[in-house]
Amino acid sequence: MPIPPASLTLNSTQPLRQPLAGQKTGFIATSTPPPLISSQPKAVTGIEAAKRLAAWTAVDRHVLPEHKVIGIGSGSTVPYVVERIVAQGSEVNKDRVFIPTGFQSKELIVEAHLRLGDIDQYPTIDVTIDGADEVDHNLNAIKGGGACHLREKVLAEAANTWVIVADYRKNSEVLGHNFTQGVPIEVAPFAYAPVLQNVHLLGSPKAVLRMAKAKAGPVVSDNSNFIIDAPFPEEIMRDPYTLLTRLKMLTGVVEVGLFCHMAKAAYFGDQDGSVTVQWQDGRVEKVGSE
Ligand SMILES: O=C[C@H](O)[C@H](O)[C@H](O)COP(=O)(O)O
């Protein structure tokens, strides 16, 4: 049973056909070695199927045999990115190094028996694939729902190609429509109170320090910083680049979870088993639609 190119229509009620050891993958010309992890990916449905389809399609198109340094993003869609990369086989993966955006992606890389590297060893990355909290039609994104956006932005900037993968719920006309908790802002802990005050003055009176769920006190990022979540009204969110520059000017702000003009493409897994691809030049492609 051949592994399907992820571009084939796979609707969310249909179990995804699984890669087998030694099979060729979608657009990627590999020889026929077994994947590093030979266990079969489990069947998924609904939102998970949409995430997997987006991830697989993006990997098939953008993680090519000549790519040797690969950035791995964070979030719930990224495990499917790693799954598909592993399915490309040990022959192609043995010469690659994978750079994580945080603790979660580091664990994914290690568990998949892929070679772990760091951005200080590899400041230029061939391709980074990452999730997002919301993406608008101009390919601006909110990221940082998992507090990873500082490292994610470093790996996005370092990459020759940065690609977003997500399910259809993240595909939005204006940022803030679907992801309502606000723009994540990473701040140096000792500066959080004045920064929060300034964020209120910049138009987000409901901005709050993100508190931990199973710990007393605030969320602490992988970089030992705090996170402010700042919801802004639609008129401000319609110009995310201006907002980004204003927020970054606040002393104490380490990084803002607005990623503007960075992505080459965003892949959204849809409910009907197709993928919507939003390209940098404004084109919208439907892959696998019937
Ligand atoms: O900080 C977290 C990252 O920006 C994630 O990529 C983002 O929150 C999306 O995560 P998920 O795919 O789990 O919604």
Side-chain angles (χ1 to χ4, degrees):
M1 182 173 65
I3 185 171
S7 58
L8 291 181
T9 299
L10 295 167
N11 64 47
S12 52
T13 54
Q14 207 178 26
L16 293 168
R17 285 182 283 168
Q18 313 298 348
L20 295 176
Q23 289 178 330
K24 290 185 177 180
T25 57
F27 301 103
I28 295 162
T30 62
S31 53
T32 54
L36 289 174
I37 289 181
S38 58
S39 61
Q40 302 280 315
K42 65 178 191 318
V44 290
T45 56
I47 294 291
E48 292 306 309
K51 291 178 185 183
R52 176 183 267 172
L53 193 56
W56 283 24
T57 306
V59 169
D60 286 358
R61 288 181 163 196
H62 298 281
V63 183
L64 305 179
E66 61 268 31
H67 293 151
K68 301 300 179 198
V69 183
I70 297 163
I72 300 294
S74 317
S76 57
T77 311
V78 169
Y80 300 118
V81 170
V82 175
E83 176 182 274
R84 191 62 164 181
I85 288 172
V86 167
Q88 290 181 346
S90 55
E91 189 57 32
V92 71
N93 281 318
K94 75 176 167 35
D95 297 327
R96 285 174 168 164
V97 62
F98 296 85
I99 317 296
T101 50
F103 182 87
Q104 179 219 0
S105 45
K106 182 178 168 189
E107 293 293 291
L108 284 172
I109 293 165
V110 169
E111 281 168 16
H113 298 186
L114 298 169
R115 186 145 61 96
L116 185 68
D118 210 343
I119 188 72
D120 46 13
Q121 299 167 286
Y122 300 95
T124 302
I125 295 173
D126 291 314
V127 55
T128 295
I129 302 191
D130 203 343
D133 297 301
E134 193 170 8
V135 185
D136 73 13
H137 292 175
N138 296 314
L139 283 192
N140 301 304
I142 296 180
K143 291 181 54 55
C148 299
H149 55 283
L150 168 59
R151 294 188 190 202
E152 289 176 335
K153 198 176 276 190
V154 171
L155 265 69
E157 278 181 1
N160 292 326
T161 300
W162 186 59
V163 174
I164 297 172
V165 290
D167 62 76
Y168 56 91
R169 299 171 304 173
K170 314 290 185 73
N171 189 355
S172 177
E173 196 194 323
V174 181
L175 296 181
H177 271 185
N178 302 335
F179 188 72
T180 54
Q181 74 184 52
V183 175
I185 305 169
E186 182 158 349
V187 293
F190 78 93
Y192 95 85
V195 170
L196 188 56
Q197 202 168 46
N198 284 325
V199 171
H200 291 161
L201 294 173
L202 278 179
S204 180
K206 294 190 173 158
V208 290
L209 186 64
R210 190 183 296 177
M211 302 307 284
K213 295 265 163 42
K215 158 193 176 278
V219 165
V220 178
S221 74
D222 286 352
N223 319 298
S224 306
N225 294 316
F226 292 171
I227 306 292
I228 288 172
D229 289 308
F232 286 90
E234 182 175 326
E235 62 268 26
I236 292 181
M237 295 305 292
R238 280 191 179 274
D239 185 2
Y241 185 75
T242 299
L243 177 60
L244 166 63
T245 56
R246 287 188 180 146
L247 291 170
K248 280 208 77 164
M249 286 301 290
L250 299 176
T251 302
V253 168
V254 179
E255 193 48 79
V256 178
L258 288 169
F259 288 49
C260 302
H261 317 306
M262 298 183 81
K264 177 170 186 181
Y267 287 73
F268 301 101
D270 290 322
Q271 277 173 300
D272 64 358
S274 64
V275 176
T276 298
V277 190
Q278 179 87 45
W279 290 94
Q280 198 171 39
D281 61 9
R283 272 180 307 127
V284 178
E285 181 191 2
K286 197 77 173 162
V287 182
S289 54
E290 294 175 49

mmCIF file of all heavy atoms in Angstrom, residues 51 73-78 101 104 130-134 142-150 152 165-167 169-170 179 184 210 259, ligand 1:
data_model
loop_
_atom_site.group_PDB
_atom_site.id
_atom_site.type_symbol
_atom_site.label_atom_id
_atom_site.label_comp_id
_atom_site.label_asym_id
_atom_site.label_seq_id
_atom_site.Cartn_x
_atom_site.Cartn_y
_atom_site.Cartn_z
ATOM 1 N N LYS A 51 -5.141 18.826 11.117
ATOM 2 C CA LYS A 51 -3.772 19.232 11.456
ATOM 3 C C LYS A 51 -2.757 18.345 10.735
ATOM 4 O O LYS A 51 -1.770 18.828 10.181
ATOM 5 C CB LYS A 51 -3.545 19.117 12.966
ATOM 6 C CG LYS A 51 -4.315 20.124 13.796
ATOM 7 C CD LYS A 51 -4.061 19.907 15.275
ATOM 8 C CE LYS A 51 -4.919 20.841 16.114
ATOM 9 N NZ LYS A 51 -4.664 20.722 17.538
ATOM 10 N N GLY A 73 9.022 23.722 14.794
ATOM 11 C CA GLY A 73 8.260 24.648 15.626
ATOM 12 C C GLY A 73 7.575 23.979 16.805
ATOM 13 O O GLY A 73 7.887 22.840 17.170
ATOM 14 N N SER A 74 6.614 24.701 17.384
ATOM 15 C CA SER A 74 5.949 24.233 18.609
ATOM 16 C C SER A 74 4.441 24.157 18.396
ATOM 17 O O SER A 74 3.902 24.773 17.480
ATOM 18 C CB SER A 74 6.209 25.215 19.743
ATOM 19 O OG SER A 74 7.542 25.631 19.755
ATOM 20 N N GLY A 75 3.790 23.437 19.291
ATOM 21 C CA GLY A 75 2.329 23.379 19.258
ATOM 22 C C GLY A 75 1.818 22.008 18.864
ATOM 23 O O GLY A 75 2.584 21.072 18.630
ATOM 24 N N SER A 76 0.503 21.927 18.773
ATOM 25 C CA SER A 76 -0.143 20.625 18.621
ATOM 26 C C SER A 76 -0.140 20.100 17.183
ATOM 27 O O SER A 76 -0.490 18.939 16.958
ATOM 28 C CB SER A 76 -1.587 20.734 19.121
ATOM 29 O OG SER A 76 -2.257 21.763 18.414
ATOM 30 N N THR A 77 0.228 20.916 16.204
ATOM 31 C CA THR A 77 0.286 20.447 14.813
ATOM 32 C C THR A 77 1.680 19.918 14.467
ATOM 33 O O THR A 77 1.841 19.095 13.559
ATOM 34 C CB THR A 77 -0.104 21.599 13.853
ATOM 35 O OG1 THR A 77 -1.317 22.183 14.337
ATOM 36 C CG2 THR A 77 -0.370 21.100 12.446
ATOM 37 N N VAL A 78 2.656 20.381 15.208
ATOM 38 C CA VAL A 78 4.042 20.069 14.878
ATOM 39 C C VAL A 78 4.403 18.573 15.040
ATOM 40 O O VAL A 78 5.222 18.064 14.273
ATOM 41 C CB VAL A 78 4.979 21.010 15.669
ATOM 42 C CG1 VAL A 78 6.424 20.561 15.588
ATOM 43 C CG2 VAL A 78 4.826 22.418 15.134
ATOM 44 N N THR A 101 12.391 24.819 18.610
ATOM 45 C CA THR A 101 11.985 26.162 19.060
ATOM 46 C C THR A 101 11.679 26.189 20.559
ATOM 47 O O THR A 101 11.216 27.201 21.067
ATOM 48 C CB THR A 101 10.728 26.626 18.304
ATOM 49 O OG1 THR A 101 9.756 25.591 18.382
ATOM 50 C CG2 THR A 101 11.034 26.970 16.868
ATOM 51 N N GLN A 104 9.270 21.519 23.996
ATOM 52 C CA GLN A 104 8.393 20.524 23.368
ATOM 53 C C GLN A 104 9.013 19.971 22.083
ATOM 54 O O GLN A 104 9.059 18.759 21.865
ATOM 55 C CB GLN A 104 7.030 21.148 23.045
ATOM 56 C CG GLN A 104 6.075 20.182 22.381
ATOM 57 C CD GLN A 104 5.236 20.819 21.273
ATOM 58 O OE1 GLN A 104 5.370 22.006 20.986
ATOM 59 N NE2 GLN A 104 4.392 20.029 20.660
ATOM 60 N N ASP A 130 6.216 25.522 11.341
ATOM 61 C CA ASP A 130 5.721 25.852 12.674
ATOM 62 C C ASP A 130 4.199 25.987 12.649
ATOM 63 O O ASP A 130 3.601 26.195 11.584
ATOM 64 C CB ASP A 130 6.353 27.191 13.119
ATOM 65 C CG ASP A 130 6.374 27.353 14.628
ATOM 66 O OD1 ASP A 130 5.645 26.620 15.328
ATOM 67 O OD2 ASP A 130 7.111 28.231 15.117
ATOM 68 N N GLY A 131 3.594 25.878 13.807
ATOM 69 C CA GLY A 131 2.153 26.099 13.951
ATOM 70 C C GLY A 131 1.868 27.583 14.168
ATOM 71 O O GLY A 131 2.772 28.422 14.136
ATOM 72 N N ALA A 132 0.612 27.916 14.379
ATOM 73 C CA ALA A 132 0.238 29.313 14.666
ATOM 74 C C ALA A 132 -1.083 29.309 15.424
ATOM 75 O O ALA A 132 -1.865 28.354 15.350
ATOM 76 C CB ALA A 132 0.101 30.117 13.386
ATOM 77 N N ASP A 133 -1.324 30.390 16.143
ATOM 78 C CA ASP A 133 -2.605 30.540 16.842
ATOM 79 C C ASP A 133 -3.667 31.111 15.917
ATOM 80 O O ASP A 133 -4.851 30.786 16.050
ATOM 81 C CB ASP A 133 -2.418 31.434 18.075
ATOM 82 C CG ASP A 133 -1.468 30.788 19.072
ATOM 83 O OD1 ASP A 133 -1.775 29.673 19.521
ATOM 84 O OD2 ASP A 133 -0.415 31.369 19.364
ATOM 85 N N GLU A 134 -3.259 31.952 14.998
ATOM 86 C CA GLU A 134 -4.188 32.537 14.024
ATOM 87 C C GLU A 134 -3.357 33.141 12.899
ATOM 88 O O GLU A 134 -2.250 33.647 13.134
ATOM 89 C CB GLU A 134 -5.057 33.611 14.691
ATOM 90 C CG GLU A 134 -6.231 34.038 13.847
ATOM 91 C CD GLU A 134 -7.211 34.931 14.621
ATOM 92 O OE1 GLU A 134 -6.907 35.340 15.743
ATOM 93 O OE2 GLU A 134 -8.300 35.207 14.066
ATOM 94 N N ILE A 142 -0.508 35.375 14.645
ATOM 95 C CA ILE A 142 -0.315 35.434 16.099
ATOM 96 C C ILE A 142 0.300 34.105 16.510
ATOM 97 O O ILE A 142 -0.188 33.041 16.118
ATOM 98 C CB ILE A 142 -1.640 35.626 16.867
ATOM 99 C CG1 ILE A 142 -2.291 36.957 16.535
ATOM 100 C CG2 ILE A 142 -1.390 35.539 18.382
ATOM 101 C CD1 ILE A 142 -3.610 37.202 17.265
ATOM 102 N N LYS A 143 1.371 34.186 17.282
ATOM 103 C CA LYS A 143 1.988 32.995 17.850
ATOM 104 C C LYS A 143 2.351 33.272 19.304
ATOM 105 O O LYS A 143 2.417 34.418 19.722
ATOM 106 C CB LYS A 143 3.244 32.609 17.057
ATOM 107 C CG LYS A 143 2.897 32.104 15.661
ATOM 108 C CD LYS A 143 4.109 31.700 14.850
ATOM 109 C CE LYS A 143 4.990 30.695 15.539
ATOM 110 N NZ LYS A 143 4.305 29.460 15.969
ATOM 111 N N GLY A 144 2.550 32.199 20.049
ATOM 112 C CA GLY A 144 2.938 32.379 21.444
ATOM 113 C C GLY A 144 1.887 31.916 22.433
ATOM 114 O O GLY A 144 2.044 32.109 23.635
ATOM 115 N N GLY A 145 0.822 31.263 21.907
ATOM 116 C CA GLY A 145 -0.172 30.674 22.808
ATOM 117 C C GLY A 145 0.475 29.672 23.761
ATOM 118 O O GLY A 145 -0.008 29.442 24.863
ATOM 119 N N GLY A 146 1.595 29.103 23.348
ATOM 120 C CA GLY A 146 2.354 28.179 24.203
ATOM 121 C C GLY A 146 3.611 28.827 24.751
ATOM 122 O O GLY A 146 4.499 28.128 25.256
ATOM 123 N N ALA A 147 3.702 30.144 24.622
ATOM 124 C CA ALA A 147 4.827 30.933 25.167
ATOM 125 C C ALA A 147 6.166 30.654 24.482
ATOM 126 O O ALA A 147 7.222 30.883 25.063
ATOM 127 C CB ALA A 147 4.949 30.731 26.683
ATOM 128 N N CYS A 148 6.123 30.187 23.250
ATOM 129 C CA CYS A 148 7.367 29.802 22.556
ATOM 130 C C CYS A 148 7.811 30.817 21.516
ATOM 131 O O CYS A 148 8.755 30.568 20.757
ATOM 132 C CB CYS A 148 7.183 28.454 21.850
ATOM 133 S SG CYS A 148 6.804 27.099 22.952
ATOM 134 N N HIS A 149 7.135 31.971 21.425
ATOM 135 C CA HIS A 149 7.301 32.802 20.231
ATOM 136 C C HIS A 149 8.658 33.472 20.083
ATOM 137 O O HIS A 149 9.048 33.808 18.973
ATOM 138 C CB HIS A 149 6.181 33.846 20.139
ATOM 139 C CG HIS A 149 6.053 34.701 21.347
ATOM 140 N ND1 HIS A 149 5.451 34.253 22.503
ATOM 141 C CD2 HIS A 149 6.449 35.968 21.596
ATOM 142 C CE1 HIS A 149 5.485 35.229 23.405
ATOM 143 N NE2 HIS A 149 6.080 36.263 22.874
ATOM 144 N N LEU A 150 9.410 33.637 21.161
ATOM 145 C CA LEU A 150 10.741 34.241 21.002
ATOM 146 C C LEU A 150 11.624 33.311 20.163
ATOM 147 O O LEU A 150 12.163 33.685 19.128
ATOM 148 C CB LEU A 150 11.380 34.517 22.361
ATOM 149 C CG LEU A 150 12.874 34.869 22.317
ATOM 150 C CD1 LEU A 150 13.136 36.105 21.474
ATOM 151 C CD2 LEU A 150 13.435 35.063 23.726
ATOM 152 N N GLU A 152 10.692 30.824 18.431
ATOM 153 C CA GLU A 152 10.049 30.579 17.129
ATOM 154 C C GLU A 152 10.389 31.679 16.133
ATOM 155 O O GLU A 152 10.633 31.408 14.961
ATOM 156 C CB GLU A 152 8.533 30.493 17.313
ATOM 157 C CG GLU A 152 8.102 29.230 18.024
ATOM 158 C CD GLU A 152 6.611 29.186 18.292
ATOM 159 O OE1 GLU A 152 5.973 30.253 18.370
ATOM 160 O OE2 GLU A 152 6.086 28.077 18.430
ATOM 161 N N VAL A 165 1.756 25.698 9.523
ATOM 162 C CA VAL A 165 0.777 24.614 9.380
ATOM 163 C C VAL A 165 -0.265 24.730 10.496
ATOM 164 O O VAL A 165 0.072 25.020 11.643
ATOM 165 C CB VAL A 165 1.452 23.215 9.426
ATOM 166 C CG1 VAL A 165 2.276 22.980 8.174
ATOM 167 C CG2 VAL A 165 2.330 23.032 10.664
ATOM 168 N N ALA A 166 -1.517 24.524 10.138
ATOM 169 C CA ALA A 166 -2.590 24.694 11.130
ATOM 170 C C ALA A 166 -3.868 24.042 10.605
ATOM 171 O O ALA A 166 -3.940 23.644 9.437
ATOM 172 C CB ALA A 166 -2.837 26.182 11.379
ATOM 173 N N ASP A 167 -4.855 23.970 11.459
ATOM 174 C CA ASP A 167 -6.168 23.523 10.989
ATOM 175 C C ASP A 167 -6.998 24.749 10.607
ATOM 176 O O ASP A 167 -6.613 25.894 10.871
ATOM 177 C CB ASP A 167 -6.860 22.669 12.056
ATOM 178 C CG ASP A 167 -7.119 23.465 13.322
ATOM 179 O OD1 ASP A 167 -8.065 24.277 13.320
ATOM 180 O OD2 ASP A 167 -6.368 23.295 14.313
ATOM 181 N N ARG A 169 -9.453 26.299 11.712
ATOM 182 C CA ARG A 169 -9.922 27.272 12.704
ATOM 183 C C ARG A 169 -8.972 28.461 12.837
ATOM 184 O O ARG A 169 -9.355 29.512 13.347
ATOM 185 C CB ARG A 169 -10.067 26.597 14.066
ATOM 186 C CG ARG A 169 -11.070 25.462 14.091
ATOM 187 C CD ARG A 169 -10.981 24.714 15.407
ATOM 188 N NE ARG A 169 -9.621 24.239 15.656
ATOM 189 C CZ ARG A 169 -9.202 23.680 16.778
ATOM 190 N NH1 ARG A 169 -10.036 23.524 17.779
ATOM 191 N NH2 ARG A 169 -7.941 23.277 16.915
ATOM 192 N N LYS A 170 -7.740 28.288 12.384
ATOM 193 C CA LYS A 170 -6.738 29.349 12.517
ATOM 194 C C LYS A 170 -6.738 30.314 11.336
ATOM 195 O O LYS A 170 -6.030 31.308 11.352
ATOM 196 C CB LYS A 170 -5.341 28.723 12.649
ATOM 197 C CG LYS A 170 -5.226 27.567 13.635
ATOM 198 C CD LYS A 170 -5.364 28.043 15.048
ATOM 199 C CE LYS A 170 -5.143 26.931 16.060
ATOM 200 N NZ LYS A 170 -3.762 26.514 16.202
ATOM 201 N N PHE A 179 -8.631 33.956 17.771
ATOM 202 C CA PHE A 179 -7.744 33.805 18.939
ATOM 203 C C PHE A 179 -7.912 35.059 19.789
ATOM 204 O O PHE A 179 -7.286 36.092 19.563
ATOM 205 C CB PHE A 179 -6.294 33.637 18.471
ATOM 206 C CG PHE A 179 -5.342 33.289 19.584
ATOM 207 C CD1 PHE A 179 -5.345 32.027 20.163
ATOM 208 C CD2 PHE A 179 -4.433 34.227 20.062
ATOM 209 C CE1 PHE A 179 -4.469 31.698 21.191
ATOM 210 C CE2 PHE A 179 -3.553 33.914 21.085
ATOM 211 C CZ PHE A 179 -3.574 32.644 21.641
ATOM 212 N N PRO A 184 0.434 37.571 22.508
ATOM 213 C CA PRO A 184 1.398 37.212 23.557
ATOM 214 C C PRO A 184 2.636 38.114 23.492
ATOM 215 O O PRO A 184 3.196 38.338 22.418
ATOM 216 C CB PRO A 184 1.767 35.761 23.211
ATOM 217 C CG PRO A 184 0.649 35.272 22.332
ATOM 218 C CD PRO A 184 0.244 36.479 21.538
ATOM 219 N N ARG A 210 0.035 36.415 32.072
ATOM 220 C CA ARG A 210 -0.461 35.026 31.945
ATOM 221 C C ARG A 210 -0.080 34.230 33.197
ATOM 222 O O ARG A 210 1.104 34.152 33.547
ATOM 223 C CB ARG A 210 0.123 34.361 30.700
ATOM 224 C CG ARG A 210 -0.535 33.014 30.386
ATOM 225 C CD ARG A 210 0.103 32.321 29.192
ATOM 226 N NE ARG A 210 -0.058 33.061 27.950
ATOM 227 C CZ ARG A 210 0.461 32.674 26.793
ATOM 228 N NH1 ARG A 210 1.171 31.551 26.731
ATOM 229 N NH2 ARG A 210 0.286 33.414 25.703
ATOM 230 N N PHE A 259 3.865 37.832 13.946
ATOM 231 C CA PHE A 259 4.835 37.464 12.917
ATOM 232 C C PHE A 259 4.319 38.045 11.598
ATOM 233 O O PHE A 259 3.355 37.527 11.019
ATOM 234 C CB PHE A 259 4.954 35.939 12.808
ATOM 235 C CG PHE A 259 5.667 35.277 13.969
ATOM 236 C CD1 PHE A 259 5.328 35.562 15.279
ATOM 237 C CD2 PHE A 259 6.676 34.359 13.739
ATOM 238 C CE1 PHE A 259 5.984 34.953 16.344
ATOM 239 C CE2 PHE A 259 7.346 33.733 14.787
ATOM 240 C CZ PHE A 259 6.999 34.034 16.096
HETATM 241 O O1 LIG B 1 3.887 29.280 21.575
HETATM 242 C C1 LIG B 1 3.348 28.454 20.895
HETATM 243 C C2 LIG B 1 3.406 28.462 19.438
HETATM 244 O O2 LIG B 1 3.397 29.734 18.870
HETATM 245 C C3 LIG B 1 2.419 27.536 18.756
HETATM 246 O O3 LIG B 1 2.922 27.332 17.474
HETATM 247 C C4 LIG B 1 1.044 28.099 18.652
HETATM 248 O O4 LIG B 1 0.578 28.415 19.943
HETATM 249 C C5 LIG B 1 0.064 27.128 17.969
HETATM 250 O O5 LIG B 1 -0.120 26.014 18.757
HETATM 251 P P1 LIG B 1 -1.248 24.954 18.447
HETATM 252 O O6 LIG B 1 -0.881 24.345 17.113
HETATM 253 O O7 LIG B 1 -1.174 23.976 19.575
HETATM 254 O O8 LIG B 1 -2.542 25.693 18.404
#
